[in-house]
Amino acid sequence: MDQKKFYITTPIYYPSDKLHIGHTYCTVATDAMARYKRLQGYNVKFLTGTDEHGQKIELKAKEAGVTPQQFVDNIVEGPKGVKDLWKLMNISYDRFIRTTDDYHVAAIQKIFKKMYEKGDIYKGTYKGKYCTPCESFWTESQLVNGCCPDCGRPVEKTREESYFFRLSKYQDWLIDYIKTHPDFIQPPTRTAEMLNNFLIPGLQDLCVSRTSLKWGIPVDFDPKHTVYVWVDALTNYINALGYGSDDDSLFQKYWPADIHLVGKEIVRFHTIIWPIMLHALGLPLPKQVFGHGWLVMGGGKMSKSKGEFLTVSLLEQKGYDPLAYRYFCLQSHYRKALVFTWENLDNAAAAYTKLIARIAALDPADGPVDQEAMKPYREKFGQQMGNDLNTSMGVTALFDVLKTKTNDATKLALIGDFDSVLSLGLLEKAAAKRAEAAQA
């Protein structure tokens, strides 16, 4: 019998600088859900990656005195780059896509041309407001005090020849789809935001190319135009599976995605632009887009655009175990904001240290493992983890195991099962602590 399939994705992150702890928060959540589904016996495909084009990276590379490709290569593949970070944080992705990958570039050009030939993309002139840090176009009515509603920075007027995607053509279809598919956007508050703030007031056609930008994917039939960064980025979810290539077997196997887990600030791209693009291409939509709460610091979202951010490397330099930060992330429920303060992190790090000490105090020889005694705890853990991405209850299950009256070998076996999902390195760190105590 074929395994049940499960395709889960993070957003692809923008490597204009080292990734901050908010990016890590989202990725840890996605990783825990992917691990949980593997434990359930699913054939999981877990995708993450980097969104490497755009004006901001072009400017950053110029400031650094390197080419844009050299700049992103260093951020992604270099020392303490994105891939090193995910290794440090025990991220178990199955595939990592970079939008500079050759296969992605080729797929984007095919997709753009297909939508143009269908009449869903047309040439015009863009006049309006643009936020370079967020790579976003805005209408006058969407600005907040004349500034970008996402990052709060000033926007610039722009006017240039562009290609446009007919978002407005599919507006009524999308409104009906969202209303008849209540699980498509989660949590429900995000649904109300998309309907009331964007769809019901009316969609404008989307600018999907720029002539003033060179660092990006050229439109192959009109190469003075560069594909707009969000069209480039969103299609990663299908291009990573081989969509439009000579071998699309992974696409046929795993699409549609079961869940796109994204920060709430990019829900509108994933629930308006992305589903309309897929519909225009004749493809099924992802089953769910889940917009999790932000990691907030000092009352606001942590943001590279605002210049206010911490990295896991900086936490490590201050003496924090990276897996203590993973524990901090897993203690949260993803419908809510995760409030970062040094006190909160210290409390989580202390709880993590005490948890390891309690596990280290267990005697592996106190057995044998009681499989019957394990069953109700496994069932409870599955219910907790399967309940709305509730990793906080998954962490609580560890303490429930430590309180049970079964023998230590059974407790250790259960903790090992649960840690295959939470991936906090509990058994390894506990064993090291035991060995250290034995040598003392």
Side-chain angles (χ1 to χ4, degrees), residues 44-74:
V44 173
K45 186 66 67 178
F46 169 18
L47 173 71
T48 190
T50 42
D51 170 16
E52 301 183 4
H53 295 125
Q55 187 175 15
K56 183 161 55 171
I57 283 176
E58 192 172 43
L59 293 172
K60 284 265 193 174
K62 188 176 181 180
E63 291 171 6
V66 296
T67 66
Q69 188 66 59
Q70 289 170 329
F71 182 84
V72 293
D73 284 348
N74 181 57

Side-chain angles (χ1 to χ4, degrees), residues 381-400:
F381 180 77
Q383 291 167 357
Q384 290 167 331
M385 279 298 300
N387 178 22
D388 193 23
L389 304 178
N390 201 338
T391 57
S392 61
M393 293 303 295
V395 170
T396 300
L398 293 169
F399 293 93
D400 292 340

